Coordinates of all heavy atoms in Angstrom, one line a residue:
M28 N -0.6 10.1 14.5 CA -0.1 8.7 14.2 C -0.4 7.9 15.4 O -0.1 8.3 16.6 CB 1.3 8.7 13.8 CG 1.8 7.4 13.4 SD 3.4 7.5 12.6 CE 4.1 6.0 13.1
D29 N -0.8 6.7 15.3 CA -1.0 5.8 16.3 C 0.3 5.2 16.8 O 1.2 4.7 16.0 CB -1.9 4.5 15.8 CG -2.2 3.6 16.8 OD1 -1.6 3.6 17.9 OD2 -3.2 2.7 16.6
E30 N 0.6 5.4 18.0 CA 1.8 4.9 18.7 C 2.1 3.4 18.4 O 3.3 3.0 18.3 CB 1.9 5.2 20.2 CG 1.7 6.7 20.5 CD 3.0 7.5 20.3 OE1 4.1 6.9 20.5 OE2 2.9 8.7 19.9
A31 N 1.0 2.6 18.3 CA 1.2 1.2 18.1 C 1.5 0.9 16.6 O 1.9 -0.2 16.4 CB -0.1 0.4 18.6
D32 N 1.3 1.9 15.8 CA 1.5 1.6 14.4 C 3.0 1.8 14.0 O 3.4 3.0 13.8 CB 0.6 2.5 13.6 CG 0.6 2.1 12.0 OD1 1.3 1.2 11.7 OD2 -0.1 2.8 11.3
V33 N 3.8 0.8 14.0 CA 5.2 1.0 13.9 C 5.7 0.5 12.5 O 6.9 0.3 12.3 CB 6.0 0.2 15.0 CG1 5.7 0.9 16.3 CG2 5.7 -1.3 15.0
G34 N 4.8 0.2 11.6 CA 5.1 -0.2 10.2 C 5.9 0.9 9.4 O 5.9 2.0 9.7
K35 N 6.4 0.4 8.4 CA 7.0 1.2 7.4 C 6.1 1.7 6.3 O 5.8 0.9 5.4 CB 8.3 0.5 6.7 CG 9.4 0.2 7.7 CD 10.4 -0.5 6.9 CE 11.6 -0.9 7.9 NZ 12.6 -1.7 7.2
H36 N 5.6 2.9 6.5 CA 4.5 3.4 5.5 C 5.2 4.0 4.3 O 5.4 5.2 4.2 CB 3.7 4.5 6.2 CG 2.8 4.0 7.3 ND1 3.3 3.8 8.6 CD2 1.6 3.6 7.3 CE1 2.3 3.2 9.3 NE2 1.3 3.2 8.6
T37 N 5.7 3.1 3.4 CA 6.5 3.5 2.3 C 5.8 3.3 1.0 O 6.4 3.8 0.0 CB 7.8 2.7 2.3 OG1 7.5 1.3 2.4 CG2 8.6 3.0 3.5
V38 N 4.7 2.6 0.9 CA 4.0 2.4 -0.4 C 2.9 3.4 -0.6 O 1.8 3.3 0.2 CB 3.5 0.9 -0.6 CG1 2.8 0.7 -1.9 CG2 4.8 -0.1 -0.4
A39 N 3.0 4.2 -1.5 CA 1.9 5.2 -1.8 C 0.9 4.4 -2.7 O 1.3 3.9 -3.7 CB 2.4 6.4 -2.5
A40 N -0.3 4.3 -2.2 CA -1.3 3.4 -2.9 C -2.6 4.1 -3.1 O -3.0 5.0 -2.4 CB -1.4 2.2 -2.1
V41 N -3.4 3.5 -4.0 CA -4.8 3.9 -4.1 C -5.5 2.6 -3.6 O -5.4 1.5 -4.3 CB -5.1 4.2 -5.6 CG1 -6.6 4.5 -5.7 CG2 -4.3 5.4 -6.1
V42 N -6.3 2.7 -2.6 CA -7.0 1.6 -2.0 C -8.3 1.3 -2.7 O -8.9 2.2 -3.1 CB -7.1 1.7 -0.5 CG1 -5.7 1.9 0.3 CG2 -8.0 2.9 -0.2
S43 N -8.7 0.1 -2.7 CA -9.9 -0.3 -3.2 C -10.8 -0.9 -2.1 O -10.3 -1.2 -1.0 CB -9.8 -1.4 -4.3 OG -9.3 -2.6 -3.6
Q44 N -12.1 -1.0 -2.3 CA -13.0 -1.6 -1.3 C -12.5 -3.0 -1.1 O -12.5 -3.5 0.1 CB -14.5 -1.5 -1.7 CG -15.4 -2.0 -0.6 CD -15.2 -1.1 0.7 OE1 -15.2 0.0 0.7 NE2 -15.0 -1.9 1.8
K45 N -12.1 -3.7 -2.1 CA -11.7 -5.2 -1.9 C -10.5 -5.2 -0.9 O -10.5 -6.0 -0.1 CB -11.4 -5.8 -3.2 CG -10.9 -7.2 -3.1 CD -11.6 -8.1 -4.1 CE -11.2 -9.5 -3.8 NZ -11.9 -10.5 -4.6
F46 N -9.5 -4.3 -1.2 CA -8.3 -4.2 -0.2 C -8.8 -3.9 1.1 O -8.3 -4.5 2.1 CB -7.3 -3.3 -0.7 CG -6.2 -3.1 0.3 CD1 -5.2 -3.9 0.5 CD2 -6.2 -1.9 1.0 CE1 -4.3 -3.8 1.5 CE2 -5.3 -1.7 2.0 CZ -4.3 -2.6 2.3
L47 N -9.7 -2.9 1.3 CA -10.1 -2.5 2.7 C -10.8 -3.6 3.4 O -10.5 -3.8 4.6 CB -11.0 -1.2 2.6 CG -10.3 0.0 2.1 CD1 -11.3 1.2 1.8 CD2 -9.2 0.5 3.1
T48 N -11.6 -4.4 2.7 CA -12.3 -5.5 3.3 C -11.3 -6.6 3.7 O -11.4 -7.2 4.8 CB -13.4 -6.0 2.4 OG1 -14.3 -5.0 2.0 CG2 -14.1 -7.3 2.9
F49 N -10.3 -6.8 2.8 CA -9.3 -7.9 3.0 C -8.5 -7.5 4.3 O -8.3 -8.3 5.1 CB -8.4 -8.0 1.8 CG -7.2 -8.8 2.1 CD1 -7.2 -10.2 2.2 CD2 -6.0 -8.2 2.2 CE1 -6.0 -10.9 2.4 CE2 -4.8 -8.9 2.5 CZ -4.8 -10.2 2.6
T50 N -8.0 -6.3 4.3 CA -7.0 -5.9 5.4 C -7.7 -5.8 6.7 O -7.2 -6.2 7.7 CB -6.2 -4.6 5.0 OG1 -5.1 -4.5 5.9 CG2 -7.0 -3.4 5.1
K51 N -9.1 -5.5 6.6 CA -9.8 -5.5 7.9 C -10.0 -6.9 8.4 O -9.9 -7.2 9.6 CB -11.2 -4.9 7.6 CG -12.1 -4.7 8.9 CD -13.4 -4.0 8.6 CE -14.2 -3.9 9.9 NZ -15.5 -3.2 9.6
S52 N -10.2 -7.9 7.5 CA -10.3 -9.2 7.9 C -9.0 -9.8 8.5 O -9.0 -10.8 9.2 CB -10.7 -10.1 6.7 OG -9.6 -10.4 5.8
R53 N -7.9 -9.1 8.3 CA -6.6 -9.5 8.8 C -6.2 -8.6 10.0 O -5.1 -8.7 10.4 CB -5.5 -9.3 7.7 CG -5.7 -10.1 6.5 CD -5.5 -11.6 6.8 NE -5.7 -12.5 5.6 CZ -4.8 -13.0 4.9 NH1 -3.6 -12.9 5.1 NH2 -5.2 -13.8 3.9
G54 N -7.2 -8.0 10.6 CA -7.0 -7.1 11.8 C -6.5 -5.7 11.6 O -6.1 -5.2 12.5
N55 N -6.5 -5.2 10.4 CA -6.0 -3.9 10.1 C -7.2 -3.1 9.5 O -7.3 -3.0 8.3 CB -4.9 -3.9 9.1 CG -4.2 -2.6 8.9 OD1 -4.1 -1.8 9.9 ND2 -3.8 -2.4 7.7
D56 N -8.0 -2.5 10.4 CA -9.2 -1.8 9.9 C -8.9 -0.4 9.5 O -8.7 0.5 10.4 CB -10.2 -1.7 11.0 CG -11.5 -1.0 10.6 OD1 -11.6 -0.6 9.4 OD2 -12.5 -1.0 11.4
L57 N -8.7 -0.2 8.2 CA -8.4 1.2 7.7 C -9.6 2.0 7.3 O -9.5 3.1 6.8 CB -7.4 1.0 6.5 CG -6.1 0.4 6.8 CD1 -5.3 0.3 5.5 CD2 -5.3 1.3 7.8
S58 N -10.8 1.4 7.3 CA -12.0 2.1 6.9 C -12.8 2.8 7.9 O -13.6 3.5 7.7 CB -12.9 1.1 6.1 OG -13.2 0.0 7.0
T59 N -12.4 2.5 9.2 CA -13.1 3.1 10.4 C -12.3 4.4 10.8 O -11.1 4.3 11.0 CB -13.3 2.1 11.5 OG1 -14.0 1.0 11.0 CG2 -14.0 2.8 12.6
S60 N -13.1 5.4 11.0 CA -12.4 6.7 11.5 C -12.0 6.5 12.9 O -12.7 5.8 13.7 CB -13.5 7.8 11.4 OG -13.0 9.0 12.0
H61 N -10.9 7.1 13.3 CA -10.4 7.1 14.6 C -10.3 8.6 15.1 O -9.3 9.1 15.5 CB -9.0 6.4 14.7 CG -9.1 5.0 14.4 ND1 -9.6 4.0 15.2 CD2 -8.8 4.4 13.3 CE1 -9.6 2.9 14.5 NE2 -9.1 3.1 13.4
G62 N -11.3 9.4 14.9 CA -11.4 10.7 15.3 C -10.6 11.6 14.3 O -10.5 11.3 13.2
S63 N -10.0 12.6 14.8 CA -9.3 13.5 14.0 C -8.0 13.1 13.5 O -7.4 13.6 12.6 CB -9.1 14.9 14.7 OG -8.4 14.8 15.9
S64 N -7.5 12.0 14.2 CA -6.1 11.5 13.9 C -6.1 10.6 12.6 O -5.1 10.4 12.0 CB -5.5 10.7 15.0 OG -6.3 9.6 15.3
F65 N -7.3 10.0 12.3 CA -7.4 9.2 11.2 C -8.8 9.2 10.6 O -9.7 8.8 11.4 CB -6.9 7.7 11.5 CG -6.9 6.8 10.3 CD1 -6.0 6.8 9.3 CD2 -8.0 5.8 10.2 CE1 -6.1 6.0 8.3 CE2 -8.0 5.0 9.1 CZ -7.1 5.0 8.1
P66 N -9.0 9.6 9.4 CA -10.4 9.8 8.9 C -11.0 8.6 8.4 O -12.3 8.5 8.3 CB -10.2 10.7 7.7 CG -8.8 10.4 7.2 CD -8.0 10.1 8.5
G67 N -10.4 7.4 8.3 CA -10.9 6.2 7.7 C -10.8 6.4 6.2 O -11.0 7.4 5.6
L68 N -10.5 5.3 5.5 CA -10.4 5.3 4.1 C -11.6 4.7 3.3 O -12.3 3.9 3.9 CB -9.1 4.6 3.7 CG -7.8 5.0 4.3 CD1 -6.6 4.1 3.9 CD2 -7.5 6.5 3.9
K69 N -11.8 5.2 2.1 CA -12.8 4.5 1.3 C -12.2 4.2 -0.1 O -11.1 4.7 -0.4 CB -14.0 5.5 1.2 CG -13.7 6.9 0.5 CD -14.9 7.8 0.6 CE -14.7 9.1 0.0 NZ -13.5 9.8 0.3
D70 N -12.9 3.6 -0.9 CA -12.5 3.1 -2.2 C -12.1 4.4 -3.0 O -12.7 5.3 -3.1 CB -13.7 2.5 -2.9 CG -13.3 1.9 -4.3 OD1 -12.4 1.2 -4.4 OD2 -14.1 2.3 -5.3
G71 N -10.8 4.2 -3.6 CA -10.3 5.3 -4.4 C -9.4 6.3 -3.6 O -8.7 7.1 -4.2
D72 N -9.3 6.2 -2.3 CA -8.4 7.1 -1.6 C -7.0 6.7 -1.7 O -6.7 5.5 -1.9 CB -8.8 6.9 0.0 CG -10.0 7.8 0.4 OD1 -10.5 8.6 -0.4 OD2 -10.5 7.6 1.5
R73 N -6.2 7.7 -1.6 CA -4.7 7.5 -1.7 C -4.1 7.5 -0.2 O -4.5 8.4 0.5 CB -4.0 8.6 -2.5 CG -4.3 8.4 -3.9 CD -3.5 9.4 -4.8 NE -3.9 9.3 -6.2 CZ -3.1 9.5 -7.2 NH1 -1.9 10.0 -6.9 NH2 -3.4 9.3 -8.4
W74 N -3.3 6.5 0.1 CA -2.7 6.5 1.4 C -1.4 5.8 1.3 O -1.2 4.9 0.5 CB -3.7 5.6 2.3 CG -3.5 5.8 3.8 CD1 -2.9 4.9 4.6 CD2 -3.8 7.0 4.6 NE1 -2.8 5.4 5.8 CE2 -3.4 6.6 5.9 CE3 -4.4 8.1 4.4 CZ2 -3.5 7.5 7.0 CZ3 -4.6 9.0 5.4 CH2 -4.2 8.6 6.7
C75 N -0.5 6.2 2.2 CA 0.9 5.5 2.3 C 0.6 4.2 3.2 O 0.3 4.4 4.4 CB 1.9 6.4 2.9 SG 2.5 7.6 1.7
L76 N 0.7 3.1 2.6 CA 0.5 1.9 3.3 C 1.8 1.3 3.8 O 2.9 1.6 3.3 CB -0.1 0.8 2.4 CG -1.4 1.2 1.8 CD1 -1.7 0.0 0.8 CD2 -2.5 1.2 2.9
C77 N 1.8 0.6 4.9 CA 2.9 -0.2 5.4 C 3.2 -1.2 4.2 O 2.4 -1.8 3.7 CB 2.5 -1.0 6.6 SG 2.3 0.0 8.1
V78 N 4.5 -1.2 3.9 CA 4.9 -2.2 2.9 C 4.5 -3.6 3.2 O 4.2 -4.3 2.3 CB 6.4 -2.0 2.6 CG1 7.3 -2.5 3.7 CG2 6.8 -2.7 1.3
S79 N 4.6 -4.0 4.5 CA 4.2 -5.4 4.8 C 2.7 -5.6 4.5 O 2.3 -6.7 4.1 CB 4.6 -5.7 6.3 OG 3.8 -4.7 7.1
R80 N 1.9 -4.6 4.7 CA 0.4 -4.8 4.4 C 0.2 -4.9 2.9 O -0.6 -5.7 2.4 CB -0.4 -3.7 5.0 CG -0.6 -3.7 6.4 CD -1.4 -4.9 6.9 NE -1.4 -4.9 8.4 CZ -2.2 -5.7 9.1 NH1 -2.8 -6.7 8.5 NH2 -2.1 -5.7 10.4
W81 N 0.9 -4.0 2.1 CA 0.8 -4.1 0.7 C 1.2 -5.5 0.2 O 0.5 -6.1 -0.7 CB 1.6 -3.0 0.0 CG 1.3 -2.9 -1.5 CD1 0.4 -2.1 -2.1 CD2 1.9 -3.7 -2.5 NE1 0.4 -2.4 -3.4 CE2 1.3 -3.3 -3.7 CE3 2.9 -4.7 -2.5 CZ2 1.7 -3.9 -5.0 CZ3 3.3 -5.2 -3.8 CH2 2.6 -4.9 -4.9
K82 N 2.3 -6.0 0.8 CA 2.8 -7.3 0.4 C 1.8 -8.4 0.8 O 1.7 -9.4 0.1 CB 4.2 -7.6 0.8 CG 4.9 -8.8 0.4 CD 6.3 -9.0 0.8 CE 6.9 -10.3 0.2 NZ 6.2 -11.5 0.4
E83 N 1.2 -8.3 1.9 CA 0.2 -9.2 2.4 C -0.9 -9.4 1.3 O -1.3 -10.5 1.0 CB -0.3 -8.8 3.7 CG -1.3 -9.8 4.3 CD -1.8 -9.3 5.7 OE1 -2.1 -8.2 5.9 OE2 -1.8 -10.2 6.6
A84 N -1.4 -8.2 0.8 CA -2.4 -8.3 -0.2 C -1.9 -8.9 -1.5 O -2.5 -9.7 -2.2 CB -2.9 -6.9 -0.4
Y85 N -0.6 -8.5 -1.9 CA 0.0 -9.1 -3.1 C 0.1 -10.6 -2.9 O -0.2 -11.4 -3.9 CB 1.4 -8.4 -3.3 CG 2.1 -9.0 -4.5 CD1 1.9 -8.8 -5.7 CD2 3.1 -9.9 -4.2 CE1 2.6 -9.3 -6.8 CE2 3.8 -10.6 -5.2 CZ 3.5 -10.2 -6.5 OH 4.3 -10.8 -7.6
D86 N 0.5 -11.1 -1.8 CA 0.7 -12.5 -1.6 C -0.7 -13.2 -1.6 O -0.7 -14.5 -1.9 CB 1.4 -12.8 -0.3 CG 2.9 -12.4 -0.3 OD1 3.5 -12.2 -1.4 OD2 3.5 -12.2 0.8
A87 N -1.7 -12.6 -1.3 CA -3.0 -13.2 -1.2 C -3.8 -13.1 -2.5 O -5.0 -13.7 -2.7 CB -3.9 -12.5 -0.2
R88 N -3.2 -12.5 -3.5 CA -3.9 -12.3 -4.9 C -4.4 -13.6 -5.5 O -5.4 -13.6 -6.2 CB -3.1 -11.5 -5.8 CG -1.9 -12.1 -6.4 CD -0.9 -11.2 -7.0 NE 0.1 -11.9 -7.7 CZ 1.1 -12.5 -7.1 NH1 1.2 -12.6 -5.8 NH2 2.0 -13.2 -7.9
G89 N -3.7 -14.7 -5.3 CA -4.0 -16.0 -5.8 C -5.5 -16.4 -5.3 O -6.2 -16.9 -6.1
E90 N -5.7 -16.3 -4.0 CA -7.0 -16.7 -3.5 C -8.0 -15.5 -3.4 O -9.2 -15.8 -3.4 CB -6.8 -17.2 -2.1 CG -6.2 -16.2 -1.1 CD -5.9 -16.8 0.2 OE1 -5.2 -17.8 0.3 OE2 -6.3 -16.2 1.3
Q91 N -7.6 -14.3 -3.4 CA -8.5 -13.2 -3.3 C -8.7 -12.5 -4.6 O -9.7 -11.6 -4.7 CB -7.9 -12.2 -2.3 CG -7.7 -12.6 -0.9 CD -9.0 -12.9 -0.1 OE1 -9.9 -12.1 -0.3 NE2 -9.0 -13.9 0.6
G92 N -7.9 -12.7 -5.6 CA -8.0 -12.1 -6.9 C -7.1 -10.8 -6.9 O -6.7 -10.3 -5.9
E93 N -6.8 -10.4 -8.2 CA -5.9 -9.3 -8.4 C -6.3 -8.0 -7.8 O -5.6 -7.2 -7.5 CB -5.6 -9.2 -9.9 CG -4.7 -10.2 -10.5 CD -3.2 -10.1 -10.1 OE1 -2.7 -8.9 -9.8 OE2 -2.6 -11.1 -10.1
E94 N -7.7 -7.9 -7.8 CA -8.3 -6.6 -7.3 C -7.9 -6.2 -5.8 O -8.1 -5.1 -5.4 CB -9.8 -6.6 -7.5 CG -10.3 -6.9 -8.8 CD -10.3 -8.5 -9.0 OE1 -10.5 -9.3 -8.1 OE2 -10.1 -8.9 -10.2
V95 N -7.5 -7.2 -5.1 CA -7.1 -7.0 -3.7 C -5.8 -6.2 -3.5 O -5.6 -5.6 -2.6 CB -7.1 -8.4 -2.9 CG1 -5.8 -9.1 -3.2 CG2 -7.2 -8.1 -1.4
V96 N -5.0 -6.2 -4.6 CA -3.7 -5.6 -4.5 C -3.9 -4.1 -4.8 O -4.3 -3.8 -6.0 CB -2.7 -6.2 -5.5 CG1 -1.3 -5.5 -5.3 CG2 -2.6 -7.7 -5.3
P97 N -3.5 -3.2 -3.9 CA -3.7 -1.8 -4.2 C -2.8 -1.3 -5.3 O -1.7 -1.8 -5.5 CB -3.3 -1.1 -2.8 CG -3.5 -2.1 -1.8 CD -3.1 -3.4 -2.5
K98 N -3.3 -0.4 -6.1 CA -2.5 0.3 -7.2 C -1.5 1.1 -6.4 O -1.6 1.6 -5.3 CB -3.4 1.1 -8.1 CG -4.4 0.4 -8.8 CD -3.8 -0.6 -9.7 CE -4.9 -1.3 -10.5 NZ -4.4 -2.5 -11.3
V99 N -0.3 1.3 -7.2 CA 0.8 2.0 -6.6 C 1.1 3.3 -7.3 O 1.1 3.4 -8.5 CB 2.1 1.1 -6.7 CG1 3.3 1.8 -6.1 CG2 1.9 -0.2 -5.8
V100 N 1.4 4.4 -6.5 CA 1.8 5.6 -7.1 C 3.4 5.7 -6.9 O 3.8 6.0 -5.8 CB 1.1 6.8 -6.4 CG1 1.6 8.2 -7.0 CG2 -0.3 6.7 -6.3
L101 N 4.1 5.2 -7.9 CA 5.5 5.1 -7.8 C 6.2 6.4 -7.5 O 7.2 6.4 -6.6 CB 6.1 4.5 -9.1 CG 5.9 3.0 -9.3 CD1 6.5 2.7 -10.7 CD2 6.5 2.2 -8.2
R102 N 5.8 7.5 -7.9 CA 6.4 8.8 -7.7 C 6.3 9.2 -6.2 O 7.1 10.0 -5.8 CB 5.8 9.9 -8.6 CG 6.2 9.7 -10.1 CD 5.8 10.9 -10.9 NE 6.1 10.6 -12.2 CZ 5.5 10.8 -13.3 NH1 4.2 11.3 -13.1 NH2 5.9 10.5 -14.6
A103 N 5.4 8.6 -5.5 CA 5.3 8.9 -4.1 C 5.7 7.8 -3.2 O 5.6 8.0 -2.0 CB 3.8 9.4 -3.8
T104 N 6.2 6.7 -3.8 CA 6.6 5.6 -2.9 C 8.0 5.7 -2.6 O 8.9 6.0 -3.5 CB 6.3 4.3 -3.8 OG1 4.8 4.2 -3.9 CG2 6.8 3.1 -3.0
N105 N 8.3 5.5 -1.3 CA 9.7 5.6 -0.8 C 10.5 4.4 -1.3 O 10.0 3.3 -1.3 CB 9.7 5.6 0.7 CG 11.0 6.0 1.2 OD1 11.9 5.2 1.3 ND2 11.1 7.2 1.7
K106 N 11.7 4.7 -1.6 CA 12.6 3.6 -2.1 C 12.9 2.5 -1.1 O 13.3 1.3 -1.4 CB 13.9 4.1 -2.6 CG 14.8 4.7 -1.6 CD 16.2 5.2 -2.2 CE 17.0 5.7 -1.1 NZ 18.3 6.1 -1.7
K107 N 12.6 2.8 0.2 CA 12.8 1.8 1.2 C 11.8 0.6 1.1 O 12.0 -0.5 1.6 CB 12.7 2.4 2.7 CG 13.9 3.2 3.0 CD 13.7 3.8 4.3 CE 15.0 4.7 4.6 NZ 15.0 5.2 6.0
A108 N 10.7 0.8 0.3 CA 9.8 -0.3 0.0 C 10.5 -1.4 -0.7 O 10.1 -2.5 -0.6 CB 8.6 0.2 -0.8
L109 N 11.6 -1.0 -1.5 CA 12.3 -2.1 -2.2 C 13.1 -3.0 -1.4 O 13.5 -4.1 -1.8 CB 13.3 -1.3 -3.2 CG 12.7 -0.5 -4.2 CD1 13.7 0.2 -5.1 CD2 11.6 -1.3 -5.1
D110 N 13.1 -2.8 -0.1 CA 13.7 -3.7 0.9 C 12.9 -4.9 1.0 O 13.3 -6.0 1.5 CB 13.9 -3.1 2.3 CG 15.0 -2.0 2.3 OD1 15.8 -1.9 1.3 OD2 15.0 -1.2 3.2
V111 N 11.6 -4.8 0.7 CA 10.6 -5.8 0.9 C 10.0 -6.3 -0.4 O 9.7 -7.5 -0.6 CB 9.4 -5.4 1.8 CG1 8.4 -6.4 2.0 CG2 10.0 -4.9 3.2
V112 N 9.8 -5.4 -1.4 CA 9.1 -5.7 -2.6 C 10.0 -5.3 -3.8 O 10.4 -4.1 -3.8 CB 7.7 -5.1 -2.7 CG1 7.0 -5.4 -4.0 CG2 6.8 -5.5 -1.5
P113 N 10.3 -6.2 -4.7 CA 11.1 -5.8 -5.9 C 10.4 -4.7 -6.7 O 9.1 -4.6 -6.9 CB 11.2 -7.0 -6.7 CG 10.9 -8.2 -5.8 CD 10.0 -7.6 -4.8
L114 N 11.2 -3.8 -7.4 CA 10.7 -2.7 -8.2 C 9.7 -3.3 -9.3 O 8.7 -2.7 -9.6 CB 11.8 -1.9 -8.8 CG 11.4 -0.8 -9.8 CD1 10.5 0.2 -9.1 CD2 12.6 -0.1 -10.3
Q115 N 10.1 -4.4 -9.9 CA 9.3 -5.0 -11.0 C 8.0 -5.3 -10.5 O 7.0 -5.2 -11.3 CB 10.1 -6.3 -11.5 CG 11.4 -6.0 -12.2 CD 12.5 -5.8 -11.2 OE1 12.4 -6.0 -10.0 NE2 13.7 -5.4 -11.7
V116 N 7.8 -5.7 -9.3 CA 6.5 -6.1 -8.8 C 5.6 -4.9 -8.6 O 4.4 -4.8 -9.0 CB 6.6 -6.9 -7.5 CG1 5.2 -7.1 -6.8 CG2 7.2 -8.3 -7.7
L117 N 6.3 -3.8 -8.1 CA 5.6 -2.6 -7.9 C 5.2 -1.9 -9.1 O 4.0 -1.4 -9.3 CB 6.4 -1.6 -7.0 CG 6.7 -1.9 -5.6 CD1 7.7 -0.9 -4.9 CD2 5.4 -2.0 -4.8
E118 N 6.0 -2.1 -10.1 CA 5.7 -1.5 -11.5 C 4.5 -2.1 -12.1 O 3.7 -1.5 -12.9 CB 6.9 -1.6 -12.4 CG 8.0 -0.6 -12.0 CD 9.2 -0.8 -12.9 OE1 9.5 -2.0 -13.3 OE2 10.0 0.1 -13.1
Q119 N 4.2 -3.4 -11.8 CA 3.1 -4.1 -12.3 C 1.7 -3.5 -11.9 O 0.7 -3.6 -12.5 CB 3.1 -5.6 -11.9 CG 4.2 -6.4 -12.5 CD 4.1 -7.8 -11.8 OE1 3.1 -8.3 -11.4 NE2 5.3 -8.5 -11.9
Y120 N 1.8 -2.8 -10.8 CA 0.6 -2.2 -10.1 C 0.6 -0.7 -10.2 O -0.2 0.0 -9.6 CB 0.4 -2.7 -8.7 CG 0.1 -4.2 -8.7 CD1 1.2 -5.1 -8.5 CD2 -1.1 -4.7 -8.9 CE1 1.0 -6.5 -8.6 CE2 -1.3 -6.1 -8.9 CZ -0.2 -7.0 -8.8 OH -0.4 -8.3 -8.9
A121 N 1.6 -0.1 -10.9 CA 1.7 1.3 -10.9 C 0.7 2.0 -11.7 O 0.3 1.5 -12.8 CB 3.1 1.7 -11.4
I122 N 0.2 3.2 -11.2 CA -0.7 4.0 -12.0 C 0.0 5.2 -12.6 O -0.5 5.9 -13.4 CB -1.9 4.5 -11.2 CG1 -1.4 5.3 -10.0 CG2 -2.8 3.3 -10.7 CD1 -2.5 6.0 -9.3
D123 N 1.3 5.2 -12.4 CA 2.2 6.3 -13.0 C 3.4 5.6 -13.5 O 3.7 4.5 -13.2 CB 2.4 7.4 -12.0 CG 3.2 7.0 -10.8 OD1 3.4 5.7 -10.6 OD2 3.7 7.8 -10.0
G124 N 4.2 6.4 -14.2 CA 5.4 5.8 -14.7 C 6.6 5.8 -13.8 O 7.6 5.2 -14.0
G125 N 6.4 6.6 -12.7 CA 7.5 6.7 -11.7 C 8.6 7.6 -12.1 O 8.8 7.9 -13.3
D126 N 9.3 8.1 -11.2 CA 10.5 9.0 -11.5 C 11.6 8.5 -10.6 O 11.7 8.8 -9.5 CB 10.1 10.5 -11.1 CG 11.4 11.4 -11.4 OD1 12.4 10.9 -11.8 OD2 11.2 12.6 -11.1
H127 N 12.5 7.7 -11.2 CA 13.5 7.0 -10.4 C 14.7 7.9 -10.1 O 15.7 7.3 -9.6 CB 13.9 5.7 -11.1 CG 12.7 4.8 -11.4 ND1 11.8 4.5 -10.6 CD2 12.3 4.3 -12.6 CE1 10.8 3.8 -11.1 NE2 11.1 3.7 -12.4
N128 N 14.7 9.2 -10.4 CA 15.9 10.0 -10.1 C 15.9 10.6 -8.7 O 16.9 11.1 -8.2 CB 15.9 11.1 -11.2 CG 16.1 10.6 -12.6 OD1 16.9 9.7 -12.7 ND2 15.5 11.2 -13.5
N129 N 14.7 10.6 -8.0 CA 14.7 11.1 -6.7 C 15.4 10.1 -5.7 O 15.1 9.0 -5.8 CB 13.2 11.2 -6.3 CG 13.0 12.0 -5.0 OD1 13.5 11.5 -3.9 ND2 12.3 13.1 -5.0
K130 N 16.1 10.7 -4.8 CA 16.8 9.7 -3.9 C 16.0 9.1 -2.8 O 16.4 8.0 -2.3 CB 18.0 10.5 -3.3 CG 19.0 10.9 -4.2 CD 20.2 11.5 -3.6 CE 21.1 12.0 -4.7 NZ 22.4 11.9 -4.6
Q131 N 14.9 9.7 -2.5 CA 14.0 9.1 -1.5 C 12.9 8.3 -2.1 O 12.4 7.4 -1.5 CB 13.4 10.2 -0.5 CG 14.5 10.6 0.5 CD 15.0 9.5 1.4 OE1 14.3 8.8 1.9 NE2 16.3 9.4 1.5
E132 N 12.4 8.8 -3.3 CA 11.3 8.1 -4.0 C 11.9 7.1 -4.9 O 13.1 7.2 -5.3 CB 10.5 9.1 -4.8 CG 9.8 10.1 -3.9 CD 9.1 11.2 -4.6 OE1 9.2 11.2 -5.8 OE2 8.5 12.0 -3.9
L133 N 11.2 6.1 -5.4 CA 11.6 5.1 -6.4 C 12.0 5.8 -7.7 O 11.5 6.7 -8.1 CB 10.5 4.2 -6.6 CG 10.2 3.3 -5.5 CD1 9.1 2.3 -5.9 CD2 11.3 2.4 -5.0

């Protein structure tokens, strides 16, 4: 893990090329490999995103289009993401039904 990366990686997501291009344009290059510590992501990969980065894409959907918002894997998303994004919003982008009985997951 990058010592400078102090975000809350709480949103389990499936990234798209549109998201990767968008987040790179905002200074967060997730598509480039950083040696063995980070392989770089490509369209369709699953990754735990910082909730602030996920929300940044969500907030940009009006100008960038809905495709910029990564799909969410609710069963693997930590409930701490709800400190930033309401459950109803995450559910709109969910690719699974979620299991809200887990104390750490949504």
